[in-house]
Amino acid sequence: MFNQIQVLGNLTKDIELSYTQSGNAFAKGSVASNRKYKTKNGEERQETTFLNFIASGKIAEICNQYLKKGSKVFMTGRLSQNNYTDKNGNSQTSYQIVVEKIQFLDVKPQSNSNASNQAIQPNANHQGVKQAPAPAASNTEVSNTDSDDEVGEELPF
């Protein structure tokens, strides 16, 4: 099976970073994505979709360091379904994006002309991470090469 989602949008709140008891980092946030369209009558409309997301490992720490409410991002990941019972005893379902790759799209003044379009690629043991200059550079990309099994292991929220 194939489960992939790509979303372009803006963060609706600051990143919430937490750590599991074993020291794994997890970042949680929400992104708003807009779709503009015209009705049959030619009237312009805009539809906004709000999606929660979670990132793990080094990607979570980097997102927490550089992203804030309003930051423009392009993320790729998989859609995860969570089933739970609410406080009234009703069964509920929610969905979130498990981020595998995120690109920071905010355009900010650059102090180094060679800084744009650099990527941060953590490896499985989080050592030897190549870090781009602070994502004041536009189009900074962060990829998570960690195993997807870590995300479902011990979520702190």
Side-chain angles (χ1 to χ4, degrees):
M1 295 288 176
F2 185 73
N3 178 357
Q4 185 177 45
I5 184 169
Q6 296 180 320
V7 177
L8 172 68
N10 297 82
L11 297 188
T12 62
K13 59 184 179 179
D14 289 340
I15 298 291
E16 297 174 32
L17 182 70
S18 59
Y19 292 87
T20 63
Q21 289 182 357
S22 62
N24 294 326
F26 285 91
K28 171 170 118 164
S30 178
V31 64
S33 182
N34 295 319
R35 178 179 83 93
K36 294 181 181 180
Y37 63 97
K38 288 187 179 183
T39 64
K40 291 180 183 178
N41 300 331
E43 181 183 346
E44 287 191 20
R45 297 256 174 112
Q46 180 172 302
E47 172 183 276
T48 304
T49 302
F50 298 92
L51 296 162
N52 293 324
F53 66 88
I54 186 168
S56 64
K58 197 68 173 170
I59 191 172
E61 293 172 337
I62 293 168
C63 286
N64 182 61
Q65 185 175 0
Y66 296 115
L67 298 177
K68 63 181 186 322
K69 180 179 179 177
S71 294
K72 182 174 261 216
V73 297
F74 178 71
M75 61 178 63
T76 301
R78 64 182 171 83
L79 198 58
S80 174
Q81 176 178 317
N82 300 311
N83 298 312
Y84 63 96
T85 303
D86 67 15
K87 62 183 178 184
N88 297 325
N90 299 317
S91 294
Q92 300 289 328
T93 301
S94 67
Y95 298 90
Q96 67 183 5
I97 299 168
V98 178
V99 177
E100 295 168 356
K101 186 192 297 187
I102 189 165
Q103 190 170 7
F104 306 155
L105 299 177
D106 286 331
V107 178
K108 298 189 179 178
Q110 295 178 333
S111 59
N112 179 353
S113 61
N114 296 327
S116 65
N117 294 321
Q118 293 190 25
I120 301 169
Q121 301 281 337
N123 64 17
N125 63 8
H126 303 303
Q127 294 178 3
V129 175
K130 297 178 199 168
Q131 282 196 321
S138 63
N139 296 327
T140 298
E141 184 178 291
V142 183
S143 295
N144 195 356
T145 57
D146 292 340
S147 167
D148 288 341
D149 297 334
E150 182 180 303
V151 174
E153 178 184 317
E154 49 179 327
L155 295 177
F157 19 78

